[in-house]
């Protein structure tokens, strides 16, 4: 019973001081990890979408705001991601915002997760 009590006290202390600058980055990383694991446990498509979205947004950090917004919109749902893949990666339509090497890198990321995204 004592161990449980101390565990509760530690958790409450962490919650109380979780907005402190030293703890905040670790708290955010922990929440990201929990959300990833929860998505994997709940739905394989959603977990794949989350991984793809995280990779696309990490890749777009080095690009402009318009390109980042385009990828954010494209990866907002599985349907949008599949439409983006069909239009710009398979059909090779011209995208005035995202073209050249950034488009090719984005298509490679989407293609690497395509099998899990297209599952029924």
């Amino acid at each position: 019973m004592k161990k449980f009590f101390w565990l509760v006290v530690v958790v409450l202390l962490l919650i109380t001081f979780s907005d402190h600058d030293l703890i905040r980055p670790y708290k955010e990383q922990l929440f990201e990890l929990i959300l990833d694991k929860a998505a994997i446990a709940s739905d394989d498509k959603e977990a794949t979408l989350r991984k793809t979205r995280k990779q696309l947004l990490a890749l777009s950090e080095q690009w402009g705001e318009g390109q980042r917004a385009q990828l954010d919109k494209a990866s907002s749902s599985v349907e949008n991601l599949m439409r983006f893949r069909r239009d710009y990666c398979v059909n090779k339509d011209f995208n005035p915002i995202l073209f050249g090497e950034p488009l090719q890198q984005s298509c490679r990321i989407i293609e690497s997760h395509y099998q899990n995204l297209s599952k029924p």
Side-chain angles (χ1 to χ4, degrees):
M1 190 69 180
K2 272 187 173 180
K3 290 181 182 180
F4 179 73
F5 172 74
W6 286 112
L7 180 67
V8 170
V9 169
V10 168
V11 169
L12 289 175
L13 284 172
L14 284 175
I15 291 172
T16 303
F17 296 109
S18 65
D19 281 344
H20 194 272
D21 291 335
L22 293 173
I23 298 175
R24 188 177 305 129
Y26 301 110
K27 179 185 80 169
E28 291 171 358
Q29 288 177 355
L30 181 63
F31 283 154
E32 286 287 323
L33 181 67
I34 290 170
L35 288 175
D36 285 344
K37 296 299 180 186
I40 289 171
S42 65
D43 187 9
D44 196 29
K45 251 186 179 179
E46 287 299 318
T48 305
L49 175 66
R50 187 168 174 76
K51 285 180 190 176
T52 307
R53 181 179 175 86
K54 185 186 284 187
Q55 287 179 352
L56 286 173
L57 294 180
L59 182 66
S60 70
E61 287 295 318
Q62 59 194 358
W63 302 335
E65 188 63 35
Q67 293 169 326
R68 195 173 306 125
Q70 176 83 20
L71 285 177
D72 188 38
K73 180 181 172 190
S75 63
S76 62
S77 70
V78 174
E79 293 80 22
N80 287 347
L81 199 58
M82 298 302 278
R83 187 178 315 118
F84 181 87
R85 179 192 171 273
R86 183 191 65 226
D87 291 344
Y88 302 116
C89 300
V90 176
N91 293 343
K92 305 286 185 196
D93 291 345
F94 179 70
N95 187 336
I97 298 172
L98 195 66
F99 56 89
E101 186 62 28
L103 180 62
Q104 291 173 359
Q105 290 174 347
S106 302
C107 288
R108 273 185 249 138
I109 289 174
I110 295 169
E111 286 297 325
S112 68
H113 297 288
Y114 176 70
Q115 199 116 53
N116 289 334
L117 289 169
S118 62
K119 287 182 181 177

